[in-house]
Amino acid sequence: MKQKFLIIIGIVVLLLVSYFYLYPKLVQPPKPTEYQNVVITLERTPCFGTCPDYKLTINGDGRVVYEGEGFVKITGTQTTQLSQDKIKQLVDEFYRIDYFSLKDEYTAGITDLPTTITSITIDGKTKKVVNYYGAPKKLDELENKIDEITNSKNWVW
């Protein structure tokens, strides 16, 4: 009886370890070969100070739509075009940081910070992460990379 119990416990432990090892690989969709159906967004919300409030939407065809709301150089809607290489570079960055295994929300009991919201849609499946406070550094780096590649400084600062 004791031996059966130990075998069952061993199987349960093995299944749990396998699940947690494989889980990020299970939730990560395959890398797209065509980028037409990819949509990436970056939204930075206001704070109690002068934090820039804007949203970027990057479409797989390279079209970028900027919507400036407040505390930015340019308010309203602006558009630009990125090359397919830049789109691929952005998508690769999401995979590099294992974006699909990040928590959906990072928050804390602080009330005066801006929130940054990122998302990626691949073949109709969307992963969105809300970053208020406490996210891993790699998420902050991804957010900054999106700004860098889209050259948002032309509109924001």
Side-chain angles (χ1 to χ4, degrees), residues 101-108 115 129-136 139:
S101 68
L102 293 174
K103 295 188 326 187
D104 292 338
E105 186 172 357
Y106 295 91
T107 189
T115 300
V129 178
V130 177
N131 179 7
Y132 180 72
Y133 181 81
L139 180 59

Side-chain angles (χ1 to χ4, degrees), residues 37-108:
N37 294 324
V38 171
V39 178
I40 295 169
T41 65
L42 169 77
E43 181 178 0
R44 296 191 186 267
T45 69
C47 62
F48 287 142
T50 59
C51 302
D53 180 9
Y54 64 96
K55 182 176 182 179
L56 294 165
T57 303
I58 302 107
N59 296 285
D61 63 3
R63 189 172 47 93
V64 177
V65 178
Y66 161 86
E67 299 167 71
E69 294 294 325
F71 300 107
V72 291
K73 185 171 26 174
I74 298 175
T75 57
T77 302
Q78 301 285 314
T79 61
T80 191
Q81 191 73 26
L82 294 178
S83 68
Q84 283 297 295
D85 286 343
K86 296 287 186 188
I87 299 298
K88 182 182 182 315
Q89 189 178 351
L90 279 174
V91 170
D92 287 349
E93 192 66 16
F94 277 82
Y95 281 86
R96 185 191 70 75
I97 72 159
D98 200 13
Y99 182 82
F100 304 94
S101 68
L102 293 174
K103 295 188 326 187
D104 292 338
E105 186 172 357
Y106 295 91
T107 189

